[in-house]
Amino acid sequence: MKSKFLMIVLILGVLSSCKRFLDETPQGVISDEDLNTPENVDKMVIAAYSGLGNDYFEAPYSSMWPYGSIRGGDTYKGGDGPGDIGDFHLYETFSLNRVDNSKTDLVWYRLYVCIGRVNDALRRLNAIDQSVYPLKSERQGEMYFLRGHFYFLAKILFKYVPYIDETVPKATYDSVSNRTLSDDELWNKITGGFRDAADRLPQTRTDAGRPDKYAAKAYLAKALLYQAYKQNEDNAVTSVDAALLTEVNNLCDEVINSGNYHLNTDFAANFLTQHENSAESVFAIQYSKDDGTPKGRLDEGHKLSYPMNQEYGCCGFHVPSHDLINAFKTDEKGLPMYNSYNSNDVAASGDYTTGTFDPRLDHTVAIPGHPYKYKANFIFQRSWARAPEVYDAFASMKEVVAPDDPSFQKIPPFMSSSKNWDIIRYDDVLLFKAEALIELGRQDEALPLINQLRTRAAGSLSLLKKADGTPISHYGIDVYKPGINCTWTRDFARQALRWERRLEFATEGYRFFDLVRWGIAAEVINTYFSIEKTRSAHLAEAKFTKGRDEYLPIPLNQINYSKGLYQQNKGW
């Protein structure tokens, strides 16, 4: 009897020990509550910031080049042919795109990972006391800004997305539809976040990578500008909201009058590491190398853009189109050739001396026989192109660096750098304001804003020289002079504004979204295809379907995960 009693005691003791063991916090694991200290909350904020540059070449969002440059006619996909990252070829042709495009699902997923990090940081910030964490309000403003940025990208990509903030319990995420909010209500959520950010952020940035009050106001102006063009369910622009345009104009005035920003003297400065975080940079993603990590925090979203010469080695994507190159031609007055720019294909002839060109051409496009990335003795060759028989032999230059640049780093088989990438620049703000003024019928006030950029472009020649000191191309550009070289009507001003946006931001990833905002995507892209198909066979099946292709489809995977809660975009 005694032995049985002892056996029972031993068993109970072992069970008790097992229970105590199971109740122990595992080594190396931190509890949710332990994270809510000032030091750890700050780390969660930094983790949210890291989402800005956490993309990768297969589904980038730091730059929107696959969705904005390729789909907007600025560039061809490039690479080794249509099958090389074939999902991007589906974007380029539109007609071949599918709801199960894996890269569409991936960019959706990654944007929501970023939003999730922001929401987690905000939940902790909201719970901590200001007296314990004096930077609480400022950090909340930063998180509102970041969340607004990620939702802005999702909005212009997909139109209808589920809006989840830090107040939504995680257990109810699966009940939030992408149609819970209307088009306008979703814009209000995004702009509301930028308003909250502006209310909390300081007037000047405390660190280079953090937004200030005026960066938030600039991004608010951008989001309101998109919202002002009212769309119906067929994605057609039905009206333009004058009240929102007036607010855009006023916000831009606040940014301009802040004294925090101005144009760089030379356009080139926006794309060189020695000038990053300049007064023209309103908000930029900060990259790094030699920072204690194995490969550094490099710009992974652009690493496919480098050419195939021995100094680099890979990968020849994001190739400027003939249409874009021809768009830089100017007439005898130094103005764009709006109606005839594409009739004579200078990209095919290679003649950059007979006619005249906007200098921004050689800041943007690598051309055979021309110096590459401002290196007079480093000449871009046709042999550097990966598939010239498919995409011709050009390259995009703004996002890359020279091989001797301190920011350059090889990550075989790819190339990358730690050069910043601007999300909003001051030139953008000037054109936000100009666009709002033109649509308000105040085009005369927009004239000097557009001319500021043309004046800067005309003076951006010091780095555009061959080894013998002569200009790379034959440049000829002038400002708009009503009554002398143009008639500055509202319609002409609108055309000038839209052309200026293309040349100023060519290959930077937003061209397509401009076209959708203005309600002219179908017309412009199908006209582009009608000519460009004769130049490049890879576009043979390309066709833009109006009322469908303005937005990507909601990824089929996401609809399946939501068990049918998410509704597909029209036409898909």
Side-chain angles (χ1 to χ4, degrees):
M1 186 71 179
K2 184 177 180 181
S3 62
K4 288 183 179 179
F5 176 76
L6 288 173
M7 183 63 69
I8 291 170
V9 170
L10 286 171
I11 291 171
L12 290 173
V14 170
L15 290 174
S16 176
S17 296
C18 288
K19 183 176 185 302
R20 285 196 302 273
F21 173 76
L22 292 172
D23 286 342
E24 290 283 337
T25 301
Q27 295 295 314
V29 176
I30 188 169
S31 71
D32 189 70
E33 292 76 16
D34 288 340
L35 287 173
N36 294 331
T37 65
E39 180 182 9
N40 286 331
V41 167
D42 213 47
K43 290 177 181 178
M44 300 305 287
V45 168
I46 298 300
Y49 269 105
S50 72
L52 283 170
N54 267 1
D55 58 340
Y56 201 62
F57 70 84
E58 58 187 342
Y61 56 80
S62 55
S63 165
M64 301 286 275
W65 67 268
Y67 330 104
S69 293
I70 291 176
R71 292 197 298 161
D74 272 3
T75 61
Y76 309 135
K77 175 184 73 70
D80 199 30
D84 192 2
I85 311 188
D87 289 334
F88 289 178
H89 178 66
L90 307 187
Y91 293 153
E92 184 171 11
T93 56
F94 290 96
S95 62
L96 301 177
N97 199 15
R98 304 191 307 264
V99 297
D100 61 348
N101 186 322
S102 64
K103 300 304 182 286
T104 306
D105 183 50
L106 192 54
V107 72
W108 174 293
Y109 167 75
R110 287 180 171 169
L111 286 174
Y112 273 96
V113 168
C114 295
I115 290 166
R117 287 190 179 196
V118 172
N119 285 341
D120 187 77
L122 276 169
R123 275 190 288 269
R124 300 179 192 284
L125 282 164
N126 295 346
I128 200 167
D129 192 86
Q130 183 97 22
S131 63
V132 176
Y133 189 63
L135 290 172
K136 172 180 177 174
S137 180
E138 185 175 329
R139 296 292 181 259
Q140 284 173 320
E142 294 169 20
M143 294 301 97
Y144 294 142
F145 180 94
L146 291 187
R147 186 169 63 195
H149 169 65
F150 294 128
Y151 268 121
F152 178 86
L153 298 183
K155 181 75 173 71
I156 63 175
L157 284 170
F158 300 104
K159 189 171 185 175
Y160 291 109
V161 295
Y163 189 87
I164 297 170
D165 63 19
E166 79 279 13
T167 67
V168 178
K170 292 182 179 179
T172 66
Y173 282 2
D174 61 1
S175 67
V176 181
S177 170
N178 68 322
R179 293 298 187 112
T180 298
L181 300 175
S182 68
D183 185 32
D184 217 39
E185 288 169 339
L186 186 51
W187 275 124
N188 286 338
K189 286 287 189 181
I190 295 169
T191 57
F194 287 124
R195 294 183 199 279
D196 289 340
D199 287 342
R200 289 168 172 79
L201 291 172
Q203 295 200 11
T204 55
R205 51 193 174 200
T206 53
D207 294 305
R210 300 185 193 271
D212 59 28
K213 180 184 296 292
Y214 296 106
K217 287 180 180 289
Y219 216 139
L220 174 58
K222 181 176 184 176
L224 288 171
L225 188 61
Y226 274 75
Q227 185 181 11
Y229 292 83
K230 302 300 181 183
Q231 294 182 357
N232 61 19
E233 285 302 300
D234 293 319
N235 306 326
V237 174
T238 57
S239 64
V240 184
D241 190 316
L244 293 182
L245 292 176
T246 299
E247 186 174 5
V248 169
N249 180 52
N250 293 338
L251 285 164
C252 290
D253 279 344
E254 289 188 61
V255 176
I256 293 167
N257 294 331
S258 71
N260 290 357
Y261 312 103
H262 60 74
L263 294 177
N264 290 316
T265 303
D266 195 310
F267 186 60
N270 292 308
F271 314 106
L272 293 169
T273 53
Q274 59 265 40
H275 300 287
E276 60 189 16
N277 296 318
S278 71
E280 188 163 347
S281 176
V282 176
F283 184 74
I285 301 173
Q286 311 288 313
Y287 295 104
S288 63
K289 62 177 289 192
D290 301 326
D291 55 8
T293 61
K295 295 181 179 178
R297 181 162 181 74
L298 303 174
D299 180 1
E300 303 277 1
H302 282 127
K303 65 184 185 181
L304 297 181
S305 293
Y306 288 85
M308 300 291 289
N309 54 313
Q310 64 178 2
E311 289 83 359
Y312 297 120
C314 195
C315 281
F317 280 73
H318 199 207
V319 178
S321 68
H322 284 218
D323 185 279
L324 175 66
I325 293 168
N326 291 331
F328 285 97
K329 291 190 291 188
T330 56
D331 63 16
E332 67 282 358
K333 300 175 183 177
L335 301 183
M337 300 172 67
Y338 297 115
N339 300 316
S340 60
Y341 77 100
N342 223 4
S343 58
N344 174 34
D345 190 7
V346 69
S349 70
D351 181 4
Y352 298 91
T353 59
T354 302
T356 55
F357 297 87
D358 187 309
R360 286 171 289 191
L361 167 66
D362 284 304
H363 291 285
T364 304
V365 182
I367 298 170
H370 292 202
Y372 184 79
K373 204 62 187 180
Y374 310 117
K375 297 288 184 178
N377 293 308
F378 189 41
I379 307 302
F380 187 82
Q381 306 291 335
R382 183 176 176 82
S383 61
W384 294 13
R386 186 168 182 189
E389 71 284 357
V390 181
Y391 301 113
D392 212 335
F394 301 100
S396 175
M397 287 199 301
K398 288 179 176 179
E399 67 268 41
V400 303
V401 298
D404 62 351
D405 191 275
S407 71
F408 178 67
Q409 183 165 317
K410 289 188 176 183
I411 41 175
F414 303 110
M415 315 298 120
S416 193
S417 82
S418 60
K419 181 169 73 74
N420 281 6
W421 184 249
D422 283 311
I423 300 300
I424 295 182
R425 294 199 306 267
Y426 185 66
D427 51 353
D428 224 350
V429 174
L430 295 179
L431 291 183
F432 295 159
K433 178 178 171 63
E435 183 175 337
L437 289 169
I438 290 166
E439 295 306 322
L440 288 168
R442 297 163 58 183
Q443 60 271 10
D444 287 351
E445 298 173 63
L447 176 64
L449 299 169
I450 295 172
N451 278 346
Q452 276 191 60
L453 299 186
R454 296 187 65 78
T455 299
R456 194 262 295 271
S460 298
L461 302 176
S462 63
L463 298 179
L464 302 183
K465 296 182 184 298
K466 300 177 184 178
D468 62 4
T470 59
I472 296 173
S473 301
H474 183 203
Y475 304 116
I477 181 174
D478 201 355
V479 298
Y480 293 102
K481 302 171 183 175
I484 299 175
N485 63 7
C486 70
T487 303
W488 194 255
T489 63
R490 185 182 184 186
D491 286 344
F492 185 90
R494 182 183 289 120
Q495 179 178 240
L497 176 280
R498 294 176 178 181
W499 208 270
E500 202 67 26
R501 276 203 65 83
R502 186 181 193 188
L503 301 188
E504 186 79 2
F505 302 106
T507 73
E508 294 185 46
Y510 285 100
R511 168 67 172 168
F512 179 74
F513 306 110
D514 283 343
L515 298 177
V516 172
R517 180 174 80 252
W518 298 326
I520 60 173
E523 172 191 346
V524 170
I525 298 303
N526 281 327
T527 298
Y528 162 80
F529 285 149
S530 69
I531 300 174
E532 217 71 0
K533 282 181 182 183
T534 67
R535 299 166 175 165
S536 187
H538 79 281
L539 293 173
E541 297 179 272
K543 179 185 177 183
F544 186 100
T545 299
K546 189 174 184 178
R548 183 194 74 166
D549 288 329
E550 290 83 3
Y551 295 94
L552 294 176
I554 306 301
L556 181 61
N557 271 350
Q558 300 303 323
I559 292 176
N560 291 339
Y561 291 152
S562 75
K563 298 178 181 178
L565 178 65
Y566 296 167
Q567 296 180 38
Q568 186 54 271
N569 284 335
K570 187 167 183 179
W572 294 99

